[in-house]
Amino acid sequence: MKKMTGYIAFTLLFLLAVVLGVATWQEHLHGTDFVMHHFYKTTWFNLLWAWLAFTGGYYMIQTGLYKKRSVMALHFALLVIFAGAMITRFNGKTGTIHLREGVQTDFFACQELNNRSKLPFLLELKTFRIEYYPGTSSPSNYVSIVKVDDLFSGKSFDQEISMNQILKYKGYRFYQSSFDEDMKGSLLSVNRDTTGIAFTYAGYFLLFLSMLWVLFDKKGRFSELCRRNFSQNKNRSLIILLFLLSVPVFSSAKESAGLQKMTIDREQADQLGHTWVNYQGRICPLQTMASDFTLKLTGKLRYQDLSACQFLSGWIFFSEDWQHIPLFEIKHPELRALIDSRGKACLNDFFDERGIYKLMPYWREMYGSDHRSAFLKEAAKLDEKIQLITMLRNGSLLKIFPLVTEENRIEWFSPGEQLPENIGEMEQSLVAGFFSSYKGDVRGGDVDSAQSLLALLQKFQQKSAGSVLPSEIHLKAELLYNRYPVFSVLFMACLTIGCIGVFFFIFNTIKNKGSGKIHSILYISLILLFLILTLWIALRGYIAGRLPMSNGYETMLFIAWTALLVGILLRRSFFLITVFSILLAGFTLLVAHIGSMNPGITPLVPVLQSPLLSIHVSLIMIAYGLCGFMLFNSLTTFVLLIFSGKKGMRQVEELKEMSELFMFPATFLMGAGIFVGAIWANVSWGRYWGWDPKEVWALVTFILMSFSFHGKTIPWFRKPVFYHIFVVILFLSVLMTYFGVNYILGGKHSYAG
């Protein structure tokens, strides 16, 4: 009977994971309303959760789990979280309230009741404003000043509501959601769920404590694995990890004489690169925009022997020459036929003899459909490059002129853009004539005059926008970061060193040899790689003015950093830890390098300006990194079984125990990351769980991880080979959580690119 209850409980848990995965795909195919109506808000879905909770709780009593207090506390915490979720589901209220300046209201649109609900007090919008990053037009915050008027108590007060700053009063919470175009109205999200949130937060707190208890429980499985695999000193390194959560060589070649005639010289281009520009919502050197422009068009940070600044300058001042250069690779046969190209195309090839753009008839299909063919996807990528060139040629990308507007705000303008009426004649002349004068000088070979014009522009920038311009140290740091593509070089070094390490491990295992010297060499390499990666991530963070963990590219960098840190802290425990840390760092940096991720540094959108974001991302990324270690363990196991057969079974068992040991912190960090993210969502959006595809797949991964701890109920997990197969399946779920949602399913958490 006891076994049957356990089988039922884990069958239900597996069924729940399958249902959640299917629901995300149904949402992708049919939309959010469909999946809410047919899955998440149905009676059968709630009953599935209730049945699982009841069966699981009954099984815990049957097996005497209460005798293992740390494990019991963890499972009890999950039941408390479930209870809080059920209270929220049936007792919570959410909705929206639309406020206009000077108009009092005490009604809000209730989502659950599909009608208006009355508030026990009046709200009035006094003013709404948008705050911007200094010197840019990128919003840093949306702020509503509201007046609360409680007629029952006679209490009246003003309150600021902004992103990550809410209004709490009489059990109701109000969050900044949107605003009217005329800036005279504001849309707030409303939430009332005091009991559900209290239960849920209590469950989160208990869960965090119980996870630490399990890790430090001397009678627990984790401590047993630590004693078996680590000495006391090495065990300390692992605990520190839980709490802390080939050297690049650059060469300069001679510039191609042919291309050099189509741009300005290296020194002049470098000086131009020091000019400030308002680009992607922040103020940065023109060199940064040049690097992004070159990378977007060519896939590299330079074109042949030209620097990024020279490549950009060529298109600005010698565009009639560059439009004949075949820069664009055409892969799809239909596109080749359309462009009339055999593989490489120049800008002119995209226009017919009448000057009509050949991709124009496909615009609606390229950007108006979620399901695009291979032809349309490639056409869209090419169109983005063509439009980027067009924006550069017409000057709209070059916002290099800071001017003080009538509202006493500093705004940046491009040549040809309509200027505010309060701008003087001298400023108007500079904006209108700078590029034509500079172009005449550089094309005529008058270097001194060109440098004088550039110095005049930079002096003008300091005079007009000196209060918001980054410091000289910031400028030098960003120029250094742009000049040396360290991340691109590191992935090649990590992969090379890691592959050599794996080869030596397999060779030495088959030949029964030690790995002393090679381990020392690998460890020294590991230290160097970690120091270089740490320095460059810190440099990126300094440039961005925030922790660099806000997009796909930066989270991959953090996973690589975490992998190398694990290798350093656990270097003496097992030879493969060092190898896998280097190899995992190499693969994550490779994915960041060749994937569709955008390496550009951009300011955070207002909702992401929360310390909880950094904690949430850090915990999840470390968990992913540990899953990567387990994957390499499993892949190495399969290689050993192929080449050494039964001889390698001892190593296979050791690798299984190593994966099992990593599974503890990976699972707990994953769970902590999910629930910290839920708290962040509650603070920012008024709900701690919204069934977003990213949330759902993170939960699916967490559920799959939980299976591995129940070897007594599911004997398969005691078998090393099955355990390694399971790890591969688990990592596929991790890939789906990170990449599948970002690039296929979408959702609020998607940051593809």
Side-chain angles (χ1 to χ4, degrees):
M1 181 63 182
K2 189 187 301 183
K3 285 187 176 181
M4 181 58 66
T5 306
Y7 290 150
I8 292 174
F10 285 103
T11 299
L12 290 173
L13 188 61
F14 180 75
L15 177 61
L16 176 64
V18 172
V19 168
L20 292 173
V22 171
T24 60
W25 283 101
Q26 290 298 308
E27 182 174 0
H28 175 63
L29 296 173
H30 303 291
T32 302
D33 291 339
F34 175 88
V35 79
M36 286 291 178
H37 181 72
H38 291 86
F39 284 85
Y40 302 134
K41 292 188 176 181
T42 60
T43 301
W44 68 264
F45 187 72
N46 292 325
L47 288 176
L48 176 60
W49 278 97
W51 191 12
L52 172 62
F54 175 79
T55 307
Y58 183 63
Y59 183 60
M60 286 188 286
I61 296 173
Q62 279 187 314
T63 55
L65 191 64
Y66 53 85
K67 297 178 182 178
K68 299 179 180 179
R69 290 177 293 177
S70 61
V71 180
M72 183 63 195
L74 188 147
H75 285 79
F76 181 72
L78 294 174
L79 291 177
V80 173
I81 292 172
F82 169 76
M86 286 295 101
I87 294 172
T88 297
R89 170 71 177 84
F90 295 105
N91 190 52
K93 287 184 179 181
T94 59
T96 57
I97 184 170
H98 184 213
L99 301 179
R100 294 288 296 178
E101 283 189 8
V103 179
Q104 290 188 327
T105 182
D106 58 355
F107 285 96
F108 71 96
C110 183
Q111 184 178 356
E112 286 75 20
L113 303 177
N114 291 321
N115 60 15
R116 296 203 307 166
S117 292
K118 187 175 176 62
L119 294 169
F121 49 86
L122 292 167
L123 284 181
E124 175 188 343
L125 177 67
K126 300 195 71 174
T127 183
F128 173 82
R129 71 176 185 270
I130 301 177
E131 296 177 350
Y132 298 89
Y133 285 101
T136 76
S137 58
S138 297
S140 64
N141 207 352
Y142 304 102
V143 181
S144 295
I145 307 296
V146 301
K147 180 182 180 182
V148 179
D149 195 359
D150 191 338
L151 300 179
F152 296 98
S153 65
K155 189 176 183 180
S156 181
F157 60 92
D158 292 345
Q159 173 76 45
E160 178 180 301
I161 303 175
S162 60
M163 308 307 293
N164 298 309
Q165 181 174 337
I166 65 177
L167 164 63
K168 298 179 183 179
Y169 190 64
K170 286 194 171 181
Y172 290 88
R173 296 178 299 152
F174 299 87
Y175 306 78
Q176 184 64 49
S177 178
S178 186
F179 58 92
D180 295 346
E181 291 185 5
D182 62 359
M183 306 282 285
K184 302 293 184 181
S186 181
L187 187 68
L188 305 178
S189 296
V190 185
N191 182 285
R192 190 174 190 273
D193 179 33
T194 53
T195 307
I197 290 176
F199 262 84
T200 304
Y201 276 25
Y204 292 164
F205 181 72
L206 180 58
L207 182 70
F208 297 148
L209 290 181
S210 62
M211 288 190 298
L212 291 175
W213 191 0
V214 169
L215 292 176
F216 286 96
D217 189 350
K218 294 181 179 180
K219 297 180 180 179
R221 175 63 174 168
F222 181 71
S223 293
E224 178 188 344
L225 289 169
C226 286
R227 288 191 295 269
R228 190 178 299 176
N229 291 276
F230 301 101
S231 67
Q232 185 178 4
N233 289 335
K234 297 165 192 171
N235 192 24
R236 275 198 206 118
S237 295
L238 185 61
I239 300 302
I240 291 172
L241 169 65
L242 296 176
F243 281 104
L244 290 179
L245 306 177
S246 108
V247 180
V249 177
F250 304 94
S251 61
S252 75
K254 286 188 176 181
E255 298 168 358
S256 169
L259 291 176
Q260 181 60 24
K261 294 179 181 179
M262 299 162 54
T263 186
I264 59 181
D265 63 66
R266 179 71 60 88
E267 183 180 352
Q268 186 75 13
D270 288 344
Q271 291 180 2
L272 183 63
H274 293 196
T275 304
W276 296 110
V277 61
N278 187 339
Y279 173 63
Q280 290 191 341
R282 71 183 188 94
I283 303 170
C284 62
L286 189 66
Q287 184 199 67
T288 298
M289 189 179 80
S291 298
D292 287 359
F293 179 82
T294 308
L295 184 64
K296 185 71 174 180
L297 261 62
T298 69
K300 299 179 180 179
L301 290 173
R302 59 189 304 115
Y303 180 69
Q304 294 188 18
D305 294 330
L306 299 182
S307 68
C309 286
Q310 286 182 295
F311 183 74
L312 180 78
S313 300
W315 278 104
I316 295 175
F317 305 117
F318 301 84
S319 61
E320 63 276 11
D321 297 325
W322 281 92
Q323 63 192 17
H324 301 287
I325 302 297
L327 293 173
F328 311 102
E329 185 176 0
I330 314 295
K331 299 178 181 179
H332 200 282
E334 291 183 38
L335 268 175
R336 288 186 178 184
L338 177 67
I339 305 301
D340 192 21
S341 170
R342 295 183 179 180
K344 284 276 192 176
C346 64
L347 180 63
N348 281 349
D349 292 332
F350 288 86
F351 299 86
D352 63 19
E353 61 277 1
R354 295 173 296 172
I356 297 176
Y357 185 40
K358 295 179 182 179
L359 296 181
M360 187 186 300
Y362 304 95
W363 272 351
R364 177 172 295 188
E365 296 175 85
M366 284 191 292
Y367 301 111
S369 173
D370 294 330
H371 306 286
R372 299 180 296 174
S373 64
F375 168 85
L376 292 174
K377 288 180 180 179
E378 185 175 345
K381 290 180 180 179
L382 289 168
D383 180 67
E384 289 177 8
K385 297 178 181 180
I386 303 301
Q387 298 308 320
L388 193 62
I389 292 175
T390 302
M391 292 170 65
L392 183 67
R393 296 175 75 183
N394 64 29
S396 59
L397 271 183
L398 300 169
K399 291 183 175 293
I400 63 173
F401 303 104
L403 300 171
V404 181
T405 64
E406 294 177 346
E407 295 81 14
N408 202 30
R409 286 185 55 239
I410 299 173
E411 293 187 13
W412 294 69
F413 294 87
S414 59
E417 192 174 354
Q418 182 67 38
L419 303 181
E421 295 182 358
N422 65 308
I423 301 303
E425 292 185 5
M426 186 176 70
E427 289 88 349
Q428 291 182 18
S429 299
L430 178 65
V431 175
F434 173 80
F435 274 102
S436 58
S437 300
Y438 189 83
K439 179 178 179 179
D441 289 340
V442 297
R443 297 198 65 160
D446 193 344
V447 177
D448 292 337
S449 179
Q451 289 179 340
S452 298
L453 274 174
L454 197 55
L456 176 64
L457 172 63
Q458 293 171 349
K459 184 177 180 180
F460 171 76
Q461 289 183 336
Q462 286 291 339
K463 180 181 178 182
S464 300
S467 60
V468 298
L469 290 181
S471 66
E472 187 68 22
I473 296 176
H474 184 111
L475 174 64
K476 292 179 179 179
E478 189 155 357
L479 294 175
L480 178 67
Y481 179 88
N482 293 333
R483 183 177 180 184
Y484 298 111
V486 167
F487 299 130
S488 300
V489 178
L490 279 182
F491 90 78
M492 293 184 285
C494 288
L495 289 179
T496 302
I497 296 171
C499 288
I500 292 173
V502 171
F503 170 78
F504 271 97
F505 171 77
I506 296 174
F507 178 80
N508 291 337
T509 300
I510 296 173
K511 299 295 184 179
N512 291 320
K513 293 184 177 181
S515 54
K517 290 184 178 180
I518 185 65
H519 196 180
S520 299
I521 295 173
L522 285 171
Y523 178 61
I524 293 173
S525 302
L526 174 65
I527 293 292
L528 289 175
L529 293 170
F530 178 77
L531 291 176
I532 295 170
L533 182 60
T534 301
L535 176 62
W536 237 244
I537 290 178
L539 186 61
R540 182 182 177 93
Y542 172 75
I543 294 168
R546 55 173 171 76
L547 287 176
M549 290 187 291
S550 67
N551 56 44
Y553 183 83
E554 291 175 347
T555 55
M556 294 306 286
L557 298 181
F558 186 72
I559 291 177
W561 183 86
T562 301
L564 296 177
L565 178 62
V566 170
I568 291 173
L569 294 179
L570 305 181
R571 63 191 181 277
R572 296 178 181 175
S573 60
F574 199 47
F575 171 72
L576 275 181
I577 294 295
T578 301
V579 176
F580 288 165
S581 66
I582 297 174
L583 204 56
L584 179 60
F587 275 112
T588 52
L589 291 173
L590 174 64
V591 171
H593 177 73
I594 67 175
S596 301
M597 300 178 181
N598 183 2
I601 301 172
T602 56
L604 286 176
V605 296
V607 75
L608 299 183
Q609 297 178 34
S610 168
L612 291 174
L613 167 67
S614 300
I615 300 172
H616 164 65
V617 173
S618 300
L619 294 173
I620 295 289
M621 290 304 107
I622 294 174
Y624 287 169
L626 294 175
C627 288
F629 275 97
M630 292 186 284
L631 175 71
F632 284 126
N633 264 351
S634 299
L635 296 179
T636 304
T637 295
F638 301 145
V639 175
L640 284 174
L641 290 174
I642 292 172
F643 289 100
S644 63
K646 294 183 178 180
K647 293 181 183 178
M649 286 307 297
R650 183 180 62 84
Q651 294 283 3
V652 170
E653 179 66 34
E654 289 181 0
L655 289 172
K656 185 259 184 184
E657 287 195 353
M658 187 61 64
S659 288
E660 193 178 351
L661 190 146
F662 276 124
M663 188 68 78
F664 276 88
T667 305
F668 292 166
L669 289 169
M670 188 73 180
I674 290 173
F675 296 121
V676 168
I679 295 172
W680 172 42
N682 194 43
V683 171
S684 298
W685 295 303
R687 55 103 179 116
Y688 51 82
W689 195 264
W691 299 111
D692 185 80
K694 192 82 163 184
E695 296 173 342
V696 173
W697 269 101
L699 180 59
V700 169
T701 303
F702 184 62
I703 290 173
L704 290 179
M705 287 176 162
S706 68
F707 278 90
S708 64
F709 300 103
H710 298 87
K712 291 184 178 180
T713 305
I714 312 174
W716 292 345
F717 285 97
R718 296 201 293 266
K719 300 178 180 179
V721 175
F722 176 83
Y723 196 95
H724 289 300
I725 294 173
F726 169 78
V727 165
V728 175
I729 296 172
L730 174 64
F731 195 77
L732 292 177
S733 180
V734 170
L735 292 179
M736 185 64 200
T737 306
Y738 190 86
F739 293 103
V741 174
N742 287 348
Y743 299 102
I744 301 175
L745 299 181
K748 292 181 179 179
H749 291 73
S750 174
Y751 39 63

